[in-house]
Amino acid sequence: GLREPGVCAVVGDAGRQRGEVLQRKRWYVSMDEFRNGGTCAACRARRMTMGEIYADAVTKVFNIIQKVHPGAEMYIWSDMLDPGHNGVREYYNCLGSFEDAWKGIPKDIVIGCWYGAKCETSMAFFSEKGFRTFAAAYYAAQPAFPASSRWRAPVLKTTGAAGLLYTTWRSSYTDLPAFCRMINEKMP
């Protein structure tokens, strides 16, 4: 489970090792697209919703990072926290709702919004709840970036939005210069 002592020890040790070597000030923690959860005896014994279990795990990782590198920023994908995305009552093979998971995490965590079709509502939702955000906007599209360009307006009007992230799953950065030109066309 997400809170089992053995899992926490491995995460803590990995964080400590990376912190010692890299001296990071920013940590990106995935924790997205949970497809299974809440079904083991340990999770059921906790008598918590899946969202509470998830938020508890996110907070535990945040605290591990703070112990390793006090003051470091933690960034996380939005989907499991976003009621307009995966933060819903029923999600894949999870037993229990992810609704309101966002309520259980520290406001110091920066939320990476990535659901392009709902970029405006997602950015606004987290901003209204007191979180800083950024948009994950690329996803290996064509250099014209039609899907990515729709993130510009929400980023500009969202309080606490840090900007747009060039997000590629193919480890390809050949389009990065064109992406930056597209972003800068309308950014102040």
Side-chain angles (χ1 to χ4, degrees):
L2 294 172
R3 186 75 169 163
E4 293 298 311
V7 172
C8 292
V10 168
V11 171
D13 190 49
R16 182 189 53 74
Q17 290 174 11
R18 285 174 179 82
E20 289 172 359
V21 172
L22 301 174
Q23 292 300 307
R24 293 176 158 183
K25 293 184 181 178
R26 292 176 185 89
W27 295 69
Y28 207 108
V29 179
S30 295
M31 297 186 78
D32 61 323
E33 297 184 356
F34 272 54
R35 304 285 191 205
N36 298 289
T39 58
C40 71
C43 285
R44 288 194 315 271
R46 294 181 73 192
R47 299 193 187 285
M48 297 168 73
T49 68
M50 198 56 221
E52 291 168 333
I53 292 170
Y54 175 79
D56 184 59
V58 169
T59 301
K60 179 72 173 171
V61 171
F62 177 80
N63 290 336
I64 289 169
I65 290 169
Q66 291 304 306
K67 184 176 180 182
V68 170
H69 198 98
E73 290 183 317
M74 179 175 146
Y75 296 77
I76 191 168
W77 293 121
S78 62
D79 63 315
M80 302 312 300
L81 303 164
D82 190 337
H85 201 171
N86 299 337
V88 294
R89 180 168 297 283
E90 294 180 13
Y91 182 73
Y92 279 84
N93 296 319
C94 295
L95 182 62
S97 172
F98 277 94
E99 293 173 308
D100 296 330
W102 62 270
K103 290 180 178 179
I105 68 169
K107 295 281 199 249
D108 294 331
I109 295 174
V110 184
I111 310 293
C113 301
W114 62 271
Y115 190 0
K118 296 187 177 183
C119 60
E120 191 163 343
T121 57
S122 184
M123 299 283 293
F125 175 81
F126 289 107
S127 176
E128 289 166 7
K129 305 303 182 210
F131 291 96
R132 290 178 297 139
T133 60
F134 67 94
Y138 174 56
Y139 299 104
Q142 296 300 315
F145 308 108
S148 296
S149 64
R150 75 170 152 226
W151 286 94
R152 285 188 306 221
V155 167
L156 287 171
K157 72 180 194 179
T158 301
T159 302
L164 285 94
L165 174 71
Y166 178 88
T167 312
T168 177
W169 302 119
R170 297 185 295 183
S171 298
S172 172
Y173 297 92
T174 57
D175 292 336
L176 183 57
F179 179 83
C180 290
R181 283 191 299 276
M182 180 274 301
I183 294 305
N184 288 324
E185 286 175 5
K186 304 241 171 137
M187 293 296 218

